[in-house]
Amino acid sequence: MTSSDAGAKGAYVWIWLADQSEPVVCGRLAYRDGRLVFNYGRSYLARKDAVSLYEPELPLRPGRIDLLPRMDMPSCIRDGSPDAWGRRVIINQITAKKSDDIDLAELDELACLLLSGSNRIGNLDFQESATVYRPRNQSAASLEDLQKASELVDSGQPLPEELDQALVHGSSIGGARPKATIRSDERHYIAKFSSSTDTYSVVKAEYIAMKLAEKVGIDAAPVELTEAHGKDVLLIERFDRHRNQTGAWCRKAMVSGLTIFGIPEQEARYASYEELAEQIRQRFTEPRDTLHELYRRMVFNILVGNTDDHARNHAAFWDGKQLTLTPAYDICPQGRTGQEASQAMSIHGANRLSQLGNCLAARAAFQLSESDALDIMRGQAKGITEHYPAVCWEAGLSEVDQRFFWRRQFLNPYGFYDLPDSVVTDLSSDLQGMVISL
């Protein structure tokens, strides 16, 4: 198969504990009846600083831990596994080697965990050894090499030897678009690259949305826009990495919204903002402020046309006892030809239509009055209107793309159709008065 037959059908899970720069082994992941199950190691359980990987799913206790209903592996571990792009990178590398001992049919979750890069999201990694930690591909790679390698993978071409290891930097990150992890002396980033299939400037659109999110008061991950190999590259500063008091880099534990919901991947369509709000009330730090922050993000996603707000695009830090909402990320306006659109997560009941009236109906779940909810909508719509030209200029967005995005992705009229007439009237003067200055 691959990677020593996927660690003889098992892998040791290594964890970075709070403010520690080196990982320790915490347990083993192995197949049982066709599903991946986890148990903590005795040495880890004996540690005074041991914390659970995620208490509702993997409580800190000895013995094999049964999976939650309908799960085929622990979701908090699946959060660290590669998604569509990472698997494309792994498959590209395997097929390029043309080795007789590699069977792509056996490229299962365990193999992907052991073959993907070690600089994954969160504070876990996976190894064949329980005693020696060997990170995979810690060598530096330039943005130019990463962009070039991503273009080859994106077009289905095998990577040449000199680029073979470059994209391992992004093989463990979720999502479908080309990306990689990079670092400078002072920052860790996720780099998102342009794709050959882009019909508009997707990278710049995400940059603009993320900057506008910050402008309207959302706690969003810092972003930068640069170029490599003649293509746009978005750099998102990682919030799951930080320095401890000695200056050493450490990793922070994170779980996705899907893990918080406790549902398997195939049931992600049932995730809802109201249910996430309920989880926040029960298990998050600063629940009231967090509810208001999530509401702002829900409204903003509609206003900028980000319909890819699925459960894995929401996350929380885990400290062993409570959850804390991470900064917002992956706010990317999606391609849109008409007006009607739906969010990936339902907003009020089963209704997921991308309309602010839907958000207004859900306000009670977020502990907001009608006037407070409307103030958020007014403030965001006016803030987007005010800052859009300057942020587009900052991004170097062409006049054609500025006009293409405006009232299509950004502030599409469909989002306002079901609001009270008084609110629409209040907003319409601001929106109609918008003039793009170049």
Side-chain angles (χ1 to χ4, degrees):
M1 190 185 167
T2 54
S3 188
S4 301
D5 198 22
K9 306 305 285 183
Y12 290 97
V13 181
W14 289 67
I15 185 172
W16 278 257
L17 294 170
D19 293 326
Q20 299 300 306
S21 60
E22 298 295 333
V24 297
V25 68
C26 65
R28 190 167 190 266
L29 191 65
Y31 278 108
R32 183 181 178 88
D33 298 327
R35 302 192 300 170
L36 281 170
V37 296
F38 174 83
N39 65 276
Y40 290 102
R42 285 179 293 180
S43 62
Y44 183 73
L45 290 171
R47 296 179 65 102
K48 293 182 179 180
D49 58 352
V51 296
S52 66
L53 272 60
Y54 183 54
E55 183 70 25
E57 187 174 36
L58 296 177
L60 201 60
R61 61 174 174 78
R64 188 187 77 248
I65 302 172
D66 291 334
L67 294 169
L68 295 180
R70 304 180 306 285
M71 295 286 192
D72 56 11
M73 70 181 293
S75 185
C76 62
I77 290 178
R78 173 66 180 82
D79 285 341
S81 185
D83 268 343
W85 173 253
R87 290 165 196 257
R88 286 184 66 184
V89 173
I90 292 170
I91 290 170
N92 184 291
Q93 292 178 320
I94 289 174
T95 54
K97 292 175 182 176
K98 300 178 181 179
S99 175
D100 293 335
D101 65 347
I102 294 174
D103 185 355
L104 285 178
E106 296 185 33
L107 189 63
D108 56 14
E109 289 291 344
L110 192 59
C112 286
L113 290 172
L114 289 169
L115 288 166
S116 52
S118 292
N119 194 17
R120 63 189 74 246
I121 301 299
N123 69 334
L124 302 180
D125 195 24
F126 308 93
Q127 300 277 309
E128 294 181 47
S129 171
T131 56
V132 179
Y133 178 77
R134 292 190 177 91
R136 290 178 291 281
N137 195 42
Q138 294 295 97
S139 60
S142 69
L143 272 180
E144 286 72 19
D145 283 347
L146 291 168
Q147 174 69 59
K148 194 184 305 180
S150 73
E151 289 173 5
L152 290 172
V153 172
D154 203 26
S155 60
Q157 300 178 55
L159 292 173
E161 185 175 350
E162 66 270 18
L163 295 178
D164 182 59
Q165 286 299 307
L167 280 190
V168 174
H169 288 269
S171 61
S172 56
I173 307 173
R177 287 187 59 81
K179 58 179 66 70
T181 59
I182 63 170
R183 61 172 291 183
S184 66
D185 291 339
E186 297 299 325
R187 299 284 188 272
H188 282 248
Y189 298 97
I190 291 173
K192 289 188 175 182
F193 302 102
S194 301
S195 170
S196 60
T197 60
D198 290 344
T199 56
Y200 60 91
S201 185
V202 176
V203 168
K204 286 183 176 178
E206 183 169 351
Y207 172 83
I208 292 166
M210 291 290 288
K211 295 297 286 188
L212 288 173
E214 179 187 351
K215 298 287 188 185
V216 301
I218 289 172
D219 178 20
V223 293
E224 299 175 25
L225 194 62
T226 186
E227 286 189 358
H229 209 236
K231 300 289 183 65
D232 294 320
V233 180
L234 180 68
L235 300 179
I236 306 102
E237 187 173 336
R238 295 184 65 167
F239 43 74
D240 62 338
R241 299 291 186 266
H242 73 284
R243 290 188 186 274
N244 62 17
Q245 292 182 343
T246 69
W249 283 105
C250 308
R251 305 189 181 193
K252 300 183 73 169
M254 280 174 52
V255 292
S256 70
L258 200 63
T259 295
I260 295 169
F261 287 126
I263 57 177
E265 201 86 32
Q266 62 270 24
E267 296 179 18
R269 64 187 181 278
Y270 299 119
S272 76
Y273 278 101
E274 288 180 318
E275 172 58 26
L276 185 52
E278 176 64 25
Q279 294 291 328
I280 288 171
R281 287 193 293 272
Q282 294 180 12
R283 297 166 46 214
F284 276 62
T285 59
E286 301 180 352
R288 183 177 176 83
D289 289 345
T290 303
L291 286 170
H292 295 175
E293 172 69 11
L294 180 62
Y295 192 83
R296 287 191 290 270
R297 296 182 189 187
M298 179 174 69
V299 169
F300 188 77
N301 283 333
I302 290 175
L303 290 176
V304 300
N306 175 34
T307 55
D308 193 34
D309 55 341
H310 56 78
R312 287 204 181 278
N313 279 344
H314 300 273
F317 298 120
W318 168 248
D319 67 3
K321 295 179 181 179
Q322 287 184 294
L323 296 161
T324 301
L325 195 66
T326 71
Y329 59 96
D330 281 358
I331 304 177
C332 185
Q334 301 298 301
R336 192 164 175 170
T337 54
Q339 291 197 353
E340 186 171 335
S342 297
Q343 300 304 120
M345 295 206 312
S346 60
I347 297 170
H348 181 54
N351 191 334
R352 63 182 71 239
L353 293 179
S354 306
Q355 295 184 307
L356 294 181
N358 205 7
C359 298
L360 190 62
R363 65 188 182 277
F366 300 85
Q367 299 181 3
L368 287 165
S369 66
E370 179 174 326
S371 61
D372 288 340
L374 290 173
D375 282 346
I376 288 172
M377 296 173 193
R378 289 190 188 97
Q380 288 194 6
K382 292 178 180 179
I384 292 168
T385 302
E386 176 185 350
H387 295 289
Y388 182 78
V391 174
C392 287
W393 179 86
E394 185 181 300
L397 193 68
S398 69
E399 179 181 353
V400 170
D401 274 350
Q402 286 188 47
R403 297 186 181 279
F404 175 79
F405 290 147
W406 188 248
R407 306 305 299 277
R408 182 173 283 103
Q409 278 92 340
F410 293 88
L411 299 187
N412 191 299
Y414 178 74
F416 302 89
Y417 283 167
D418 62 342
L419 282 175
D421 290 342
S422 60
V423 179
V424 175
T425 301
D426 184 29
L427 288 172
S428 62
S429 60
D430 295 307
L431 303 181
Q432 291 172 358
M434 170 65 187
V435 177
I436 300 172
S437 57
L438 301 171

